[in-house]
Amino acid sequence: MGLRETAGALLALSSFGASSCTPGAAEVEQLVPRIVAVHPFDESSFTQGLEVEEGGTLLVGTGWQGQSRIYRSTLEGEELASADLDPSYFGEGVTRHGAHVWQLTWQDGVAVKRDAGTLDEIGRAAYPGEGWGLCSTGEELIMSDGSDQLRRLDPDTFEELGRFSVTLDGAGRSGLNELECVGEDIYANVFLSTDILRIGADGAVTAVIDASGLPNNAAADPNHVLNGIAHLPGTDRFLMTGKRWPDLYEVELAPAQ
């Protein structure tokens, strides 16, 4: 999401990091990403959404007022298509579902529906509250809004179907940001943190991924944080990056030592 780097948010999420490693939570795996390759990435992208399409191309949604867009590129960084978001909107998460793509806005309550091939806008839908992250399970969409709640949405109309809470050791966990749906699991970046959560179908966190070891080579700025996880179809690997990061890391997840 956008500009929320306040002392209060930092304090709240620092306590999150501590609780994610609480002794005795044996059922929650502690994982780290191991880098297997580094790919170039557009360092002008204030990354808010990241996906890998079935053909291997990247779908990237970016934020910042007046600069937000959605684009498609190869893993090597060649841009194939791009569409600007209305400059009055701050772009957020994106996801592809079949023949169309949805793109969130941060505080405007507008989801933009796009043709998956051209990325041209073909419709809009309204939703209450803020929009942060978005992914498709293949049956429905999952959306985050910065709270500990995830919304279930109709993939064609964007109508809300329900909500569920995300918990770690029985306590709700807020700050859920960019999302990735993989099978029955949902992966969520945690805002202002280098933690990524793996969330089961019941909303319980089943793994905490400590991505603090990934080099952040972006220009020094408190906004340039880790934000972006995408599964590579047909593999057990993921891509990870951040806001205005020049690098896209291809990683495997391994137990923390």
Side-chain angles (χ1 to χ4, degrees):
M1 50 77 61
L3 310 175
R4 290 176 173 266
E5 286 68 22
T6 64
L10 285 166
L11 179 61
L13 288 166
S14 66
S15 66
F16 167 84
S19 66
S20 68
C21 298
T22 302
E27 71 280 5
V28 178
E29 288 188 88
Q30 305 297 321
L31 304 174
V32 292
R34 304 294 189 199
I35 299 172
V36 296
V38 182
H39 305 282
F41 199 63
D42 177 12
E43 62 185 315
S44 71
S45 293
F46 195 79
T47 307
Q48 303 286 60
L50 178 69
E51 282 195 352
V52 180
E53 298 176 291
E54 285 299 323
T57 51
L58 301 180
L59 192 64
V60 183
T62 76
W64 212 264
Q65 208 81 31
Q67 301 177 20
S68 300
R69 67 177 182 133
I70 185 171
Y71 67 91
R72 174 177 288 118
S73 73
T74 66
L75 193 56
E76 293 73 32
E78 179 187 358
E79 191 169 300
L80 304 174
S82 178
D84 291 338
L85 187 63
D86 183 318
S88 65
Y89 294 151
F90 193 117
E92 287 288 340
V94 299
T95 195
R96 178 169 180 168
H97 184 91
H100 57 264
V101 170
W102 286 101
Q103 181 178 22
L104 297 176
T105 58
W106 177 22
Q107 295 180 314
D108 297 286
V110 174
V112 178
K113 190 177 188 180
R114 299 182 180 277
D115 178 271
T118 64
L119 301 183
D120 291 339
E121 181 176 335
I122 57 175
R124 295 187 180 187
Y127 56 85
E130 297 185 355
W132 287 34
L134 192 65
C135 66
S136 171
T137 68
E139 300 294 329
E140 60 187 14
L141 306 182
I142 303 295
M143 172 180 154
S144 65
D145 58 14
S147 70
D148 64 353
Q149 299 275 306
L150 292 178
R151 308 183 193 187
R152 299 171 46 244
L153 306 169
D154 183 284
D156 295 313
T157 66
F158 221 72
E159 177 185 0
E160 186 170 327
L161 305 175
R163 301 187 184 203
F164 60 95
S165 297
V166 174
T167 60
L168 176 59
D169 298 336
R173 288 306 176 194
S174 61
L176 305 176
N177 200 0
E178 209 270 328
L179 303 178
E180 177 74 353
C181 294
V182 184
E184 294 187 352
D185 294 323
I186 301 166
Y187 291 77
N189 283 265
V190 178
F191 184 54
L192 294 185
S193 165
T194 52
D195 281 342
I196 297 171
L197 307 181
R198 187 183 70 203
I199 304 161
D202 61 353
V205 173
T206 60
V208 175
I209 303 162
D210 176 7
S212 60
L214 295 181
N216 180 347
N217 294 317
D221 187 308
N223 290 301
H224 296 171
V225 295
L226 178 77
N227 195 47
I229 178 170
H231 178 244
L232 282 166
T235 77
D236 58 359
R237 294 182 178 183
F238 290 83
L239 300 176
M240 295 182 181
T241 191
K243 299 177 181 183
R244 297 204 167 108
W245 285 24
D247 306 300
L248 181 68
Y249 297 103
E250 184 173 337
V251 305
E252 294 177 340
L253 301 181
Q257 299 299 316

